[in-house]
Amino acid sequence: MSGPLSVASSLAGGCHCGSVRLVYTSALVPADTHPRACDCSFCRMHGAAYVSDPAGALRISVADAQTLLSYRQGSEAALFRLCGRCGVLVAVTYEQDGRMYAAINAGCLDERDAFAPAVGASPQLLSREQKIGRWTQLWVPEVEWA
């Protein structure tokens, strides 16, 4: 990602049925931000390409707590967050020392078409420790649940 703005803007989004809503706050300009398309089989099956800003924030609102599903795969360190009603993958999270980090599936944001073309990412080539190190550097470190 590149091209920070002088002020942060908020991008809204969520799942298809509206049970899970997101507000992603970032100073990054969507047109200059290339979502990262993970090449693992899970993300490829969902068509996921992630955006994040280590200086940003994310608020996730869930209408019914039982609606939000979590799935671990690969290194089993991260939780993929999906709507249990419509099946949309909205984000991936990782928790360390009481702090939650997240990357947002750009396809879930209302402004999804404003982003630059996705670029490939190959986390499968990284060890569990390398993945975690990458996440804590690149992902949103301020995640609020509502």
Side-chain angles (χ1 to χ4, degrees):
M1 290 191 235
S2 63
L5 282 170
S6 58
V7 293
S9 61
S10 293
L11 299 173
C15 68
H16 189 259
C17 72
S19 294
V20 181
R21 299 297 305 158
L22 308 172
V23 177
Y24 169 50
T25 304
S26 174
L28 299 176
V29 178
D32 295 336
T33 302
H34 294 273
R36 298 176 305 278
C38 175
D39 67 355
C40 81
S41 60
F42 182 79
C43 290
R44 287 180 61 203
M45 287 180 149
H46 285 274
Y50 300 98
V51 293
S52 58
D53 177 359
L58 175 64
R59 179 183 169 102
I60 303 172
S61 302
V62 182
D64 175 1
Q66 293 181 345
T67 301
L68 187 68
L69 299 179
S70 299
Y71 179 72
R72 289 189 193 272
Q73 66 93 39
S75 66
E76 297 190 359
L79 281 173
F80 293 87
R81 306 301 186 137
L82 305 101
C83 176
R85 288 195 181 136
C86 65
V88 172
L89 171 63
V90 295
V92 58
T93 62
Y94 168 72
E95 190 169 353
Q96 177 178 298
D97 300 327
R99 174 174 252 178
M100 184 164 294
Y101 298 85
I104 302 95
N105 182 0
C108 295
L109 295 171
D110 296 342
E111 298 292 325
R112 65 186 141 276
D113 295 331
F115 287 94
V119 296
S122 296
Q124 297 178 93
L125 302 176
L126 304 175
S127 69
R128 178 184 169 103
E129 293 74 24
Q130 289 171 318
K131 289 177 189 178
I132 291 169
R134 181 176 164 85
W135 300 336
T136 57
Q137 289 179 353
L138 293 178
W139 287 9
V140 175
E142 300 298 327
V143 180
E144 177 187 348
W145 293 88

